[in-house]
């Protein structure tokens, strides 16, 4: 992939994410054993009349026209059934980094997702149904290297300064500085000094009460030479970093990840034996865990960056250098530990690069682990869905009714061979469609939905009835605008999976095109 073409996205994905996009091998494989029909011309951008007249397979035609969108992407097609493709696929080929499917019969859908689940292949299901768009991700575990959490505050250890930072702050004797230099002392230095002064005057007690906080503010104001000294005003703005919960220590979510069985040597060895796709992530978590316990005295490695602040160039660069050198020192310790772990489980010491370790340590406060419910459990064990659907309906997210209706439509299709209200070859049967035909389909669909609702302890109501009638009117049609939007959502989620940045969808994304609203039925646990 040409780096220049996608450089404009670097602000969004960052250097690490951009490198992941640049280095990935992009190709697509279209699998379909059906010939192109006249009906396909109204449902699919990527077929043409020539394919119908010449009885060409949809897979070949779609692959050819998709290829024209980007000449740097390689495309293939296989005119075989999904069943045959899955039987002939070898996990050693590693040809399926992500499996995307749509418009499948319920049983084939479950068989395909089970195959992907077994081989740890991310499975993305995207479907357009009338004015309804749905996207679902399923994978046993997805590890996010950088969730890009904007709420993560800057971690400067102002109330727990390390040795090098204390030494640097001692170079700024506030009392003896002239006014010009006094107004250019970085606020990080000012706050370290303010914290130390408070501790000295309170018998080593940390600020805990509002009175303590106000005492620190009064101390900072007393140090100001003028009422508008900007660096001290910055210090007042950020003085909450002194008494807020330390970001140097793992939060509850991160503690859960550090305590996971996969960070133990036995857990890592098991992942090595089965070639787990998240092996690097868990080796790095294990290395960080060892650092926190042994070297960091309960603290996470420093990020190493410093936010912009009022200062002269020399002082600011000096402060940056202090944090950067300390971070590099801690990152080296973690890298050496990661190398040791690799050696213990039979991996090459260069299995992890120093750059990977550096990026992981920088983003350690923004990692996440997402563990999904499989489609098999979801479809065959309704207890998994009860809480998720109840949560949506309790929040008045009535678009969740479309999920219930869609599930009923899938069952209807599996039993009848067509979707409710769907015109087959010009008619619902051998005659022209009538209101009676639609009503019969609705009655059967409503029966399936009611049976399904009972198994999930959901009361069938007028809203669901209206949704079921809407699904019958859709008749299994695929509208280009809804399909394009659904495909865009799916593409965005695929990029998240590739770059391991941001959190992918946690379950079903449901878009209601009639109202331009959406809902998410969460079927994923976060740690």
């Amino acid at each position: 992939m040409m780096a220049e073409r996608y450089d404009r996205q670097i602000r969004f994905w960052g250097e690490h994410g951009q490198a992941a996009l640049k280095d990935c091998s992009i190709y697509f494989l279209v699998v379909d054993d059906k010939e192109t029909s006249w009906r396909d011309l109204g449902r699919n951008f990527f077929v043409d009349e020539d394919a119908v007249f010449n009885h060409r397979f949809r897979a070949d035609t779609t692959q050819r026209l998709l290829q024209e969108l980007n000449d740097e992407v390689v495309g293939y097609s296989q005119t075989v059934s999904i069943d045959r493709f899955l039987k002939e696929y070898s996990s050693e080929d590693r040809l399926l980094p992500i499996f995307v499917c749509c418009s499948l019969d319920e049983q084939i859908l479950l068989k395909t997702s089970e195959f992907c689940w077994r081989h740890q292949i991310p499975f993305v299901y995207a479907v357009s149904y009338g004015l309804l768009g749905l996207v679902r991700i399923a994978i046993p575990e997805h590890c996010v290297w950088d969730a890009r959490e904007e709420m993560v505050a800057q971690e400067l250890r102002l109330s727990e300064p390390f040795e090098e930072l204390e030494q640097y702050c001692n170079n700024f004797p506030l009392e003896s500085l002239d006014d010009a230099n006094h107004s250019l002392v970085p606020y990080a230095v000012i706050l370290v000094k303010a914290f130390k002064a408070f501790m000295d005057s309170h018998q080593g007690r940390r600020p805990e009460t509002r009175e303590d906080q106000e005492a620190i503010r009064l101390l900072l104001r007393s140090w100001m030479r003028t009422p508008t000294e900007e660096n001290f005003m910055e210090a007042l703005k950020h003085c909450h970093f002194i008494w807020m919960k330390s970001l140097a220590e793992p939060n509850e979510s991160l503690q859960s990840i550090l305590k996971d069985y996969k960070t133990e040597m036995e857990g890592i060895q098991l992942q090595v034996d089965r070639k787990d796709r998240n092996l690097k992530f868990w080796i790095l978590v294990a290395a960080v865990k060892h650092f926190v316990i042994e070297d960091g005295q309960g603290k996470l490695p420093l990020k190493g960056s410093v936010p912009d602040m009022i200062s002269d160039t020399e002082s600011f660069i000096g402060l940056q250098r202090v944090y950067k050198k300390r971070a590099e020192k801690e990152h080296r310790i973690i890298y050496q530990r990661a190398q040791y772990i690799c050696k213990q489980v039979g991996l090459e010491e260069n299995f992890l690069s120093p750059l990977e370790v550096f990026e992981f340590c920088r983003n350690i406060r923004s990692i996440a682990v997402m563990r999904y419910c499989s489609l098999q459990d979801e479809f065959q064990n309704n207890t998994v869905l009860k809480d998720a659907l109840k949560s949506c309906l309790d929040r008045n997210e009535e678009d969740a009714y479309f999920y219930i209706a869609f599930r009923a439509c899938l069952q209807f299709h599996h039993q009848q061979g067509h979707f409710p209200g769907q015109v087959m070859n010009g008619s619902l049967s051998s005659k022209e469609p009538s209101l009676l035909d639609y009503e019969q389909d609705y009655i059967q669909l409503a029966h399936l939905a009611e049976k399904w609702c009972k198994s999930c302890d959901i009361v069938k109501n007028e809203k669901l009835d209206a949704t079921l009638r809407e699904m019958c009117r859709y008749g299994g049609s695929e509208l280009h605008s809804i399909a394009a939007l659904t495909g865009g959502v799916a593409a965005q989620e695929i990029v998240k999976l590739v770059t391991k940045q941001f959190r992918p969808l946690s379950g079903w994304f449901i878009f209601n095109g009639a109202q331009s609203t959406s809902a998410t039925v969460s079927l994923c646990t976060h740690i």
Side-chain angles (χ1 to χ4, degrees):
M1 182 187 292
M2 291 176 59
E4 297 82 3
R5 176 175 295 184
Y6 302 98
D7 274 352
R8 65 184 181 277
Q9 301 177 17
I10 196 167
R11 294 180 183 177
F12 185 70
W13 298 112
E15 292 184 8
H16 183 66
Q18 193 72 0
L21 288 173
K22 175 178 176 291
D23 296 337
C24 68
S25 299
I26 300 178
Y27 69 92
F28 66 91
L29 173 65
V30 183
V31 180
D32 192 344
D33 63 341
K34 300 293 190 299
E35 288 187 2
T36 309
S37 68
W38 286 109
R39 190 168 185 273
D40 293 323
L41 297 180
R43 296 163 52 102
N44 192 336
F45 284 113
F46 300 102
V47 293
D48 52 24
E49 293 182 0
D50 180 68
V52 179
F53 283 121
N54 292 284
H55 304 286
R56 292 195 175 95
F57 285 97
R58 288 187 304 201
D60 295 336
T61 305
T62 302
Q63 179 272 323
R64 175 175 58 83
L65 295 177
L66 280 172
Q67 187 74 67
E68 295 178 0
L69 294 177
N70 191 337
D71 55 11
E72 291 187 26
V73 176
V74 179
Y76 303 94
S77 62
Q78 288 192 21
T79 55
V80 298
S81 67
I82 292 291
D83 269 344
R84 180 178 171 185
F85 175 80
L86 297 180
K87 288 178 182 177
E88 294 178 354
Y89 175 78
S90 170
S91 59
E92 299 298 322
D93 295 338
R94 309 298 291 178
L95 289 177
L96 295 176
I98 296 176
F99 198 111
V100 184
C101 73
C102 59
S103 302
L104 295 180
D105 177 79
E106 184 178 55
Q107 295 305 307
I108 297 176
L109 171 65
L110 290 175
K111 184 180 293 186
T112 306
S113 65
E114 190 279 329
F115 166 87
C116 292
W117 191 269
R118 188 171 67 252
H119 291 282
Q120 299 184 61
I121 299 170
F123 177 80
V124 179
Y125 179 53
V127 61
S128 169
Y129 193 103
L131 291 174
L132 182 66
L134 302 103
V135 179
R136 164 77 149 95
I137 294 174
I139 184 173
E141 178 183 86
H142 177 68
C143 296
V144 182
W145 289 51
D146 183 5
R148 305 295 288 272
E149 305 283 2
E150 294 184 3
M151 297 302 293
V152 175
Q154 187 68 36
E155 192 271 296
L156 296 174
R157 298 192 189 175
L158 302 178
S159 61
E160 298 172 298
F162 46 93
E163 183 181 355
E164 297 90 336
L165 179 58
E166 283 187 324
Q167 292 175 354
Y168 180 77
C169 291
N170 290 336
N171 296 326
F172 295 85
L174 295 180
E175 301 84 357
S176 59
L177 291 176
D178 59 41
D179 290 350
N181 287 318
H182 189 268
S183 65
L184 294 175
V185 177
Y187 81 73
V189 174
I190 297 172
L191 291 178
V192 169
K193 287 181 172 292
F195 176 77
K196 186 177 185 301
F198 177 90
M199 294 276 284
D200 290 345
S201 63
H202 288 75
Q203 294 76 48
R205 180 174 63 81
R206 300 176 66 86
E208 297 174 351
T209 66
R210 289 189 177 182
E211 289 75 15
D212 293 339
Q213 297 169 13
E214 187 58 30
I216 291 176
R217 292 190 180 97
L218 290 172
L219 178 63
L220 290 171
R221 292 189 182 98
S222 70
W223 287 354
M224 296 174 69
R225 301 277 178 87
T226 67
T228 58
E229 205 166 9
E230 291 183 317
N231 57 334
F232 279 84
M233 293 176 69
E234 262 192 341
L236 284 165
K237 180 181 177 181
H238 295 94
C239 64
H240 61 280
F241 284 153
I242 292 179
W243 56 76
M244 70 182 293
K245 184 177 180 180
S246 175
L247 292 174
E249 299 173 1
N251 59 24
E252 185 177 347
S253 175
L254 190 50
Q255 284 179 356
S256 297
I257 297 176
L258 295 175
K259 292 177 181 178
D260 196 280
Y261 170 72
K262 288 191 172 184
T263 63
E264 303 296 332
M265 198 62 73
E266 296 84 356
I268 294 174
Q269 186 65 65
L270 183 61
Q271 295 176 73
V272 172
D273 295 341
R274 66 187 184 193
K275 299 179 180 178
D276 196 291
R277 66 188 297 271
N278 294 315
L279 177 59
K280 284 187 176 182
F281 177 91
W282 287 109
I283 289 176
L284 286 171
V285 172
V288 170
K289 175 182 178 179
H290 183 272
F291 172 85
V292 171
I293 296 173
E294 299 293 334
D295 304 281
Q297 298 179 332
K299 298 181 180 62
L300 294 165
L302 267 176
K303 185 180 180 72
S305 60
V306 178
D308 192 23
M309 58 186 73
I310 295 170
S311 175
D312 63 281
T313 302
E314 183 179 353
S315 298
F316 183 69
I317 292 177
L319 185 65
Q320 280 184 318
R321 189 178 295 116
V322 168
Y323 280 96
K324 183 179 179 182
K325 285 187 175 181
R326 176 70 180 205
E328 289 175 346
K329 176 183 177 181
E330 295 180 347
H331 297 173
R332 280 195 299 271
I333 294 172
I334 293 172
Y335 177 59
Q336 291 167 0
R337 181 62 186 179
Q339 285 182 308
Y340 172 79
I341 294 173
C342 289
K343 185 177 180 180
Q344 291 296 109
V345 295
L347 296 170
E348 295 182 0
E349 289 188 358
N350 62 354
F351 180 72
L352 284 161
S353 69
L355 180 60
E356 287 175 314
V357 176
F358 171 74
E359 289 293 339
F360 190 84
C361 291
R362 277 175 52 86
N363 301 316
I364 188 61
R365 294 160 188 80
S366 193
I367 65 173
V369 177
M370 304 178 70
R371 288 170 178 159
Y372 290 82
C373 165
S374 69
L375 261 72
Q376 291 80 355
D377 286 341
E378 176 190 342
F379 278 49
Q380 298 170 7
N381 180 8
N382 285 340
T383 56
V384 176
L385 281 170
K386 289 180 181 179
D387 290 341
L389 286 173
K390 186 177 184 301
S391 177
C392 283
L393 297 176
D394 287 346
R395 297 194 303 268
N396 293 320
E397 294 184 359
E398 294 186 341
D399 288 337
Y401 284 119
F402 278 107
Y403 170 82
I404 300 171
F406 180 70
R407 285 288 305 276
C409 286
L410 286 180
Q411 293 179 358
F412 184 102
H413 179 274
H414 181 66
Q415 294 177 6
Q416 303 297 320
H418 66 87
F419 288 108
Q422 185 175 33
V423 177
M424 302 298 292
N425 298 322
S427 66
L428 284 167
S429 57
S430 58
K431 62 183 185 306
E432 288 301 312
S434 67
L435 290 176
L436 179 60
D437 294 317
Y438 288 103
E439 189 64 24
Q440 288 176 344
D441 278 4
Y442 163 73
I443 292 172
Q444 185 173 351
L445 182 65
H447 173 72
L448 292 171
E450 186 172 9
K451 183 179 177 181
W452 190 90
C453 285
K454 285 182 179 179
S455 68
C456 283
D457 296 333
I458 295 173
V459 179
K460 184 172 175 288
N461 56 21
E462 292 181 0
K463 174 63 178 178
L464 180 55
D465 282 335
T467 302
L468 293 171
R469 288 192 178 278
E470 193 73 5
M471 300 297 273
C472 286
R473 281 193 290 271
Y474 292 160
S477 61
E478 295 183 30
L479 305 180
H480 291 335
S481 57
I482 302 299
L485 184 144
T486 305
V489 172
Q492 174 180 274
E493 299 309 305
I494 290 170
V495 175
K496 291 179 185 177
L497 293 170
V498 169
T499 61
K500 300 177 181 177
Q501 291 188 2
F502 298 95
R503 295 176 189 263
L505 290 171
S506 60
W508 285 91
F509 169 78
I510 304 167
F511 175 72
N512 177 0
Q515 301 293 330
S516 293
T517 55
S518 65
T520 301
V521 180
S522 181
L523 296 167
C524 171
T525 57
H526 301 254
I527 63 170

